[in-house]
């Protein structure tokens, strides 16, 4: 309940911010559109998009359908909307919601791991984000309109991820601190590159996977013992952040790929009553019953990145299909979202589920289903226009819209 | 449809009687691999696409293709009425069939991939699974004169059984493995000069005039008489797998160092006399210019294997009728070193706009990723996304590479006389949900999806 309250507060805050942004954007448009080609809509406040197929994102479609965009928001979606002379009318073959990458590393400047400590719960990715990183343009070009920038997995308790739009001239944060990332996997054991030189200062724990569990458990246990005052999620002290975590005030994400890591993760999670969103999940297909029992949500990254080395996870191309069958909510994430959805479909996932896994499902898992992830009245106008069936490799993206602004080839128009 | 089928069946009864007589007269029953394929759609590539067509295969070759063919009763029928049949894919450049693609020694023209091809490499299994029936096995990209390429079918246990063409070309690389480009090119030129001079010296004594090279098939084409005696002798140069040559190469194994020098030069001489072509790896656009200079100075033909950056020479490539093979990563982003601005590079579009016909190659990787460029269909579909026509994309996987390598009279299209190398697909070749259902090499089914346990396991939708 508490974390829901917290989330609610954040959402409210987010909405206020967005409202302010929208106000600013509106003023900006009317006042100085010529100087701002990125945000300028040349006074065209309303855009009507006529599409052969509108993929709503939640599994439903309109064939044909129309989407009315006003001031960066979708104002109406229907089979038929009358156009007026003030509207800019665009005709496209098919349209989907903008894609949401729920586990991305784009734009983190100066490295995402910390060598001097394995527990860094007060680290915030948003503080290291370089919005000028040209990779954002690449994300836009491939239809990704929102990204969840996550810390890397070198640290056992790694830090806070942030959710932002890929478009705009300045970072448009949906939430600067979405949740705390834990690494319940082998990765933290590999961080110690100086193991062969034990005299160095940088010999860090853990050095094996048991050590990962030990650090996680002992630090959470210590946090449970200390009595601290409740505080905001953006607590600056490590102790405070850990305390918030064990008190259930912080949304948590945990990276686990192998079946044994996933099992361990839920064992620890239950000991401390935390409800992590599972990230990774390469072998999730082996523990489907557990995931169902734990009511898990999964950010599945194994279609784009296949873990190797010590984890040696066994690959199943049908993992997304199995998760869908078991009705476990999962997002496809990592990289190349559209190709992931296409390939997941190739491997047996229903087309609607494949599209949902990169739109409405990640929005829901991240707690922003009322703002992004669907083409629906009141939601952000984040859209991807296609020249054909989005799930066909032969179909090109015509343009991408973020908050009502059209981009093509990753660039604003 | 159905009535037509019944009618044709009654015709079968008639033809059955005839067929019995024929069999009696000839005294030779149909071979096990003889069969007829009834296909929902046949993409012939060389001719029009047929809806509801029939392919008749005899003795490993396509005997007839048509919409209204009668199926002889002696033939096994392969029902593909709900499927699409296309020619087997030709991979024009791969080193994945070799345990080691490159040598430490920079000049090894005497080596042949035939001695290094391992038919058990995962490459071949993956190839059959993905409809690749012909592979041009070429030494790697980082040896200056890397050895001789061969063309093989992708099914078999012994490399000799798989050979379509033993000497398919000599691999040259313009990328210096380390050090200076100047010395790399200078050394390459010196090797070619030496061979050229030796040829000129030999020409002073009257030589046996070599016929212009025509790749000879492993088996004689049905419309051609079996190779004459002279043909077999000549083929020792052109590289068939017929017995005289096999013996010769066995002798070659016990050569003295002096002989080995001669053999070394022989491969280069074959290139300079037009008996074989070169595969030239160009790392960047400047290398393309170097490749053309070499081709002009030493008068040989080549297929260019292009690194990503070579698109900058697309205009120059368009002026010459030289086949080019693209880097498997067709779409990528490039950062300008000065402005730090990113540019999206779509290779197929850049070459297409410049008027260059191109071929695809598979990604040289054993552990194929689930996504992307490891797959020919994916590459072709990507090219279509950026403006290539579907017909051109399919041709770039089949007939175009066959033509570029001079093997189009054997593979690359579905027409009478061609090897029965076919891919039976569950749907359109470029559709994301299409799978290879069966692959045929020389009329034999070498891959069947229903018995592919590995694929089944990967796609099994029931958790174990």
């Amino acid at each position: 309940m508490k974390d829901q309250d917290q989330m609610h507060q954040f959402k409210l805050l987010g909405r206020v911010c967005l409202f302010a942004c929208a106000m600013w954007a509106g003023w900006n448009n009317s006042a100085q559109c010529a100087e701002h080609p990125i945000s300028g809509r040349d006074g065209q406040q309303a855009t009507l998009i006529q599409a052969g197929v509108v993929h709503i994102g939640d599994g439903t479609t309109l064939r044909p359908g129309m989407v009315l965009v006003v001031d960066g928001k979708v104002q109406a979606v229907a089979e038929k909307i009358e156009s007026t002379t003030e509207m800019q009318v665009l005709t496209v073959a098919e349209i989907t919601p903008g894609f949401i990458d729920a586990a991305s590393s784009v734009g983190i400047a100066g490295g995402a791991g910390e060598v001097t400590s394995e527990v860094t719960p007060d680290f915030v990715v948003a503080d290291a984000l370089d919005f000028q990183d040209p990779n954002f343009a690449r994300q836009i070009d491939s239809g990704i309109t929102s990204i969840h920038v996550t810390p890397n997995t070198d640290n056992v308790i790694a830090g806070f991820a942030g959710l932002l739009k890929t478009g705009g001239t300045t970072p448009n944060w949906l939430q600067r601190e979405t949740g705390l990332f834990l690494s319940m996997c082998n990765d933290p054991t590999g961080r110690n590159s100086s193991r062969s030189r034990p005299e160095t200062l940088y010999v860090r724990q853990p050095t094996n996977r048991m050590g990962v569990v030990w650090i996680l458990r002992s630090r959470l246990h210590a946090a449970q013992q200390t009595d601290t005052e409740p505080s905001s999620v953006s607590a600056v002290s490590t102790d405070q952040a850990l305390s918030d975590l064990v008190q259930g005030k912080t949304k948590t994400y945990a990276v686990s790929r192998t079946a044994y890591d996933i099992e361990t993760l839920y064992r620890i999670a239950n000991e401390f009553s935390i409800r992590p969103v599972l990230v990774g999940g390469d072998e999730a297909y082996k523990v489907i019953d557990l995931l169902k029992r734990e009511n898990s949500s999964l950010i599945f990254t194994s279609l784009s990145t296949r873990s190797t080395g010590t984890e040696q996870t066994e690959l199943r191309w049908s993992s997304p299909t199995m998760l869908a069958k078991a009705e476990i909510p999962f997002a496809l994430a990592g990289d190349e979202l559209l190709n992931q959805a296409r390939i997941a479909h190739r491997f047996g996932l229903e087309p609607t589920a494949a599209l949902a896994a990169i739109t409405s499902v990640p929005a829901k898992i991240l707690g922003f289903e009322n703002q992004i992830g669907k083409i629906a009245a009141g939601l952000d106008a984040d859209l991807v226009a296609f020249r054909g069936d989005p799930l066909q490799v032969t179909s090109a993206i015509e343009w991408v819209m973020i908050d009502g602004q059209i981009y093509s080839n990753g660039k604003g128009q | 449809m159905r009535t037509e089928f019944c009618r044709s069946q009654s015709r079968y009864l008639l033809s059955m009687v005839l067929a019995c007589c024929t069999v009696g007269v000839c005294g030779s029953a149909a071979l096990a691999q003889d069969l007829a394929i009834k296909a929902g759609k046949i993409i012939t590539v060389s001719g029009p696409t047929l809806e509801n067509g029939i392919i008749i295969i005899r003795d490993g070759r396509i005997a007839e293709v048509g919409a209204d063919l009668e199926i002889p009763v002696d033939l096994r029928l392969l029902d593909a009425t709900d499927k699409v049949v296309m020619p087997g894919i030709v991979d024009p450049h791969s080193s994945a069939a070799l345990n080691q693609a490159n040598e430490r020694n920079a000049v090894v023209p005497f080596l042949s991939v035939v001695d290094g091809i391992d038919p058990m490499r995962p490459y071949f299994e993956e190839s059959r699974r993905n409809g690749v029936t012909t592979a041009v096995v070429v030494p790697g990209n980082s040896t200056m004169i890397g050895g001789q390429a061969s063309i093989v079918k992708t099914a078999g246990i012994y490399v000799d059984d798989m050979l379509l063409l033993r000497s398919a070309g000599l691999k040259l690389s313009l990328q210096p493995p380390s050090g200076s480009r100047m010395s790399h090119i200078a050394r390459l030129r010196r090797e070619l000069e030496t061979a050229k001079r030796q040829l000129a010296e030999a020409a002073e004594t009257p030589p046996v005039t070599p016929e212009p090279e025509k790749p000879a098939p492993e088996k004689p084409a049905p419309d051609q008489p079996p190779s004459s005696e002279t043909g077999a002798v000549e083929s020792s140069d052109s590289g068939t797998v017929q017995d005289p040559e096999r013996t010769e190469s066995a002798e070659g194994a016990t050569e003295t160092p002096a002989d080995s020098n001669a053999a070394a030069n022989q491969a280069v001489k074959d290139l300079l006399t037009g008996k074989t072509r070169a595969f030239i790896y160009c790392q960047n656009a400047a290398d393309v210019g170097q490749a053309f200079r070499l081709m002009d100075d030493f008068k040989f033909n080549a297929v260019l294997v292009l690194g990503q950056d070579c698109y900058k020479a697309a205009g120059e490539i368009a002026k010459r009728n030289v086949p080019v093979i693209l880097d498997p990563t067709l779409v990528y982003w490039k950062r300008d070193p000065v402005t730090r601005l990113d540019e999206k590079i779509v290779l197929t579009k850049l070459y297409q706009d410049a008027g260059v016909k191109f071929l695809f190659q598979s990604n040289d990787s054993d552990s194929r990723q689930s996504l992307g460029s490891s797959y020919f269909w994916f590459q072709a579909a990507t090219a279509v996304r950026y403006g290539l026509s579907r017909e051109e994309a399919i041709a770039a996987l089949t007939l175009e590479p066959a033509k570029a390598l001079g093997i189009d009279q054997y593979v690359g299209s579905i027409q009478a006389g061609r090897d029965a190398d076919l891919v039976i697909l569950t749907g359109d070749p470029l559709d994301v949900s299409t799978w290879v259902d069966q692959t045929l090499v020389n009329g034999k089914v070498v891959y069947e999806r229903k018995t592919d346990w590995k694929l089944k396991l990967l796609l099994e939708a029931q958790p174990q």
Side-chain angles (χ1 to χ4, degrees), chain B residues 120-442:
Chain B
M120 296 302 117
R121 295 276 295 175
Y123 169 78
F124 288 108
E125 187 189 317
E126 280 294 328
S127 290
R128 296 190 292 272
R129 183 176 284 126
N130 291 289
V132 178
T133 53
T134 303
V136 185
V137 182
V138 188
N141 288 339
S142 47
T143 313
M144 182 194 290
I145 303 182
Q148 296 155 59
S150 296
I151 304 178
V152 294
K153 296 293 180 75
T154 55
I157 304 287
Y158 304 112
V159 69
D160 284 326
D161 298 337
M162 297 158 74
L163 277 173
L164 179 67
L165 187 63
R166 185 178 282 268
S167 293
L170 186 63
K171 181 67 176 279
L172 308 177
S173 173
L174 301 184
Q175 174 190 19
S178 63
S180 122
R181 225 173 195 93
M182 289 187 284
S183 71
H184 185 82
I185 300 288
R187 190 172 173 199
L188 180 55
R189 282 186 165 270
R190 198 166 63 224
E191 296 292 337
L192 294 172
E193 285 291 357
T194 307
K196 194 178 170 183
R197 196 178 57 242
Q198 285 172 353
L199 276 172
E201 283 164 9
E204 283 165 17
T205 53
V208 188
T209 43
E211 290 287 308
E213 195 250 354
K214 276 197 190 89
E218 190 178 347
K219 293 164 287 191
D223 52 339
Q224 287 167 357
S227 297
S228 64
E229 198 55 41
T230 49
V233 172
E234 267 170 32
S235 67
S236 60
D237 285 327
S238 67
T240 64
V241 291
Q242 284 165 10
D243 282 341
E245 198 236 344
R246 251 192 251 184
T247 331
E248 195 178 70
S249 57
E251 282 164 6
T254 56
E255 280 167 344
T256 64
D259 291 338
S260 132
N261 258 341
N265 292 333
Q266 192 55 46
V268 182
K269 282 176 193 164
D270 284 351
L271 176 68
L272 300 187
T273 52
K275 285 181 189 164
T276 53
R277 68 182 64 76
F279 289 86
I280 309 180
Y281 175 65
C282 303
Q283 187 194 13
N284 59 32
D287 287 346
V288 174
Q290 290 289 355
F292 288 151
R293 275 182 59 202
L294 289 173
M295 289 165 69
D296 291 342
D297 291 353
F298 295 97
K299 304 209 166 26
F300 62 86
N301 292 321
V303 174
L304 300 189
V305 184
L306 300 179
Q308 285 188 338
D309 222 29
C310 294
Y311 70 85
K312 289 170 186 165
E316 296 303 310
I317 295 168
K319 290 180 195 158
R320 318 195 38 143
N321 194 20
V322 52
V324 299
I325 303 170
L326 302 189
D327 186 272
T329 306
L330 299 175
V331 183
Y332 61 95
W333 290 75
K334 204 172 133 62
R335 189 160 300 172
D336 185 278
V338 178
T339 63
R340 307 281 295 161
L341 287 177
D342 275 15
E343 190 188 357
K344 185 181 178 182
I345 305 294
V346 181
L347 291 181
T348 53
K349 180 149 177 34
L350 290 165
Y351 285 105
Q352 198 189 339
D353 289 350
V356 177
K357 267 195 179 178
F358 46 78
L359 310 174
F360 303 109
Q361 63 177 317
S362 68
N363 206 344
D364 276 5
S365 159
D366 269 354
S367 56
R368 296 197 177 200
Q369 300 293 309
S370 322
L371 295 172
S373 64
S374 301
Y375 301 98
F376 277 108
W377 72 265
F378 188 93
Q379 292 199 36
T382 303
V384 168
R385 180 163 84 232
Y386 292 104
L388 195 69
S389 75
R390 282 170 182 267
E391 292 71 28
E392 284 174 301
I394 302 287
L397 298 180
T398 52
L399 191 55
E400 291 301 331
K403 277 184 182 166
L405 295 154
I407 50 169
D408 55 314
Q409 72 266 48
Y410 310 115
V411 297
S413 61
I414 301 180
Q415 65 182 90
R418 300 291 181 269
D419 291 358
D421 295 354
L422 304 169
V423 189
I424 302 175
L425 301 157
T426 59
D428 181 90
L430 304 182
D431 190 294
V432 74
S433 50
T434 292
W435 291 89
V436 171
D437 202 54
Q438 293 185 60
T439 304
L440 281 77
V441 170
N442 298 331

Side-chain angles (χ1 to χ4, degrees), chain A residues 134 138 141 285 303-304 315-318 322 325 339-340 342-343 345-347 391-396, chain B residues 333 335 342 344 370-371 377-378 381-382 384-385 390 431-432 434-435 455 457-463:
Chain A
R138 302 182 187 186
D141 180 68
Y285 71 94
L303 275 188
S304 65
L315 189 68
R316 287 294 178 278
W317 286 351
S318 50
M322 284 191 251
K325 266 191 169 177
N339 276 339
Q340 284 199 52
R342 287 165 170 167
I343 297 299
H345 169 49
R346 175 174 176 75
F347 295 160
L391 291 180
Q392 291 298 342
V393 178
T394 47
S395 299
Chain B
W333 290 75
R335 189 160 300 172
D342 275 15
K344 185 181 178 182
S370 322
L371 295 172
W377 72 265
F378 188 93
T382 303
V384 168
R385 180 163 84 232
R390 282 170 182 267
D431 190 294
V432 74
T434 292
W435 291 89
L455 188 68
L457 184 71
L458 284 170
L459 295 177
E460 181 66 63
Q462 292 301 324

Side-chain angles (χ1 to χ4, degrees), chain A residues 312-328:
Chain A
Q312 292 282 347
T313 52
E314 295 162 39
L315 189 68
R316 287 294 178 278
W317 286 351
S318 50
S319 288
T321 316
M322 284 191 251
L323 291 164
K325 266 191 169 177
E327 294 173 349
I328 295 164

